[in-house]
Amino acid sequence: MQAQAQHPDVVFLGADIGVYTMARAYHLVTGRGSTVVASNALAAVRTSSLVTMVPLASVFDEDAIVATLLSLREGKAEPAILMTNSDHFAAIMARHAVTLESSYVIPQPRLDVMERIADKDTFMSDCMALGIAVPRGITVDLAAPDFTEPSLE
């Protein structure tokens, strides 16, 4: 089928229900399966005919994760798309982006951007500066000795 050849390989890091949903959506659009790299996959992912499972010994060994990802692309001419549905794995991908980008397209922000927008106050401030409407929020320091219940009025 010629249309399938036009779609890139997709590799998902992690195997929660969000990864299964993305893998299923990719299959529905392209007719192609994808690869899931994970240490402990949900049954929906583990038993799915839509994915090829690649085991990880540990989700905390970043060097092993990167080595596993790179080994999947050995001998492949075209880069794959690497995605995740996990903050933990997104941070690993961002920390090792320079190494991984020889084999993968990684559609996510750089680590400094991820860290910046993870802070609610900075995110809200950046959105307001860009004219992006966001719900009003307040910062509460529960450890402050003079803590009083905040008001949004």
Side-chain angles (χ1 to χ4, degrees):
M1 181 181 230
Q2 188 174 1
Q4 287 184 347
Q6 298 175 9
H7 299 288
D9 292 340
V10 175
V11 176
F12 295 102
L13 185 53
D16 62 10
I17 196 65
V19 164
Y20 174 77
T21 303
M22 291 188 290
R24 182 170 169 77
Y26 182 71
H27 181 266
L28 287 172
V29 170
T30 66
R32 295 188 66 201
S34 51
T35 302
V36 172
V37 178
S39 66
N40 190 16
L42 290 176
V45 178
R46 197 175 54 249
T47 61
S48 175
S49 62
L50 307 179
V51 303
T52 300
M53 285 295 306
V54 175
L56 279 177
S58 169
V59 298
F60 301 107
D61 186 343
E62 292 190 23
D63 292 336
I65 292 168
V66 171
T68 300
L69 291 170
L70 292 176
S71 73
L72 290 175
R73 301 310 300 162
E74 285 178 4
K76 309 278 175 137
E78 297 295 320
I81 297 173
L82 178 60
M83 295 192 291
T84 189
N85 193 44
S86 157
D87 291 346
H88 170 73
F89 288 130
I92 291 171
M93 289 163 49
R95 280 192 292 274
H96 297 277
V98 171
T99 302
L100 292 169
E101 286 173 347
S102 63
S103 301
Y104 294 95
V105 173
I106 305 172
Q108 71 177 34
R110 297 181 323 267
L111 184 59
D112 63 320
V113 174
M114 289 172 57
E115 289 172 343
R116 181 171 177 81
I117 64 173
D119 178 80
K120 181 175 93 172
D121 291 330
T122 306
F123 176 76
M124 212 167 35
S125 174
D126 288 352
C127 286
M128 290 175 21
L130 293 169
I132 300 169
V134 293
R136 186 169 166 216
I138 56 173
T139 301
V140 176
D141 181 359
L142 299 175
D146 59 345
F147 172 75
T148 56
E149 182 108 7
S151 171
L152 288 175
E153 296 175 9

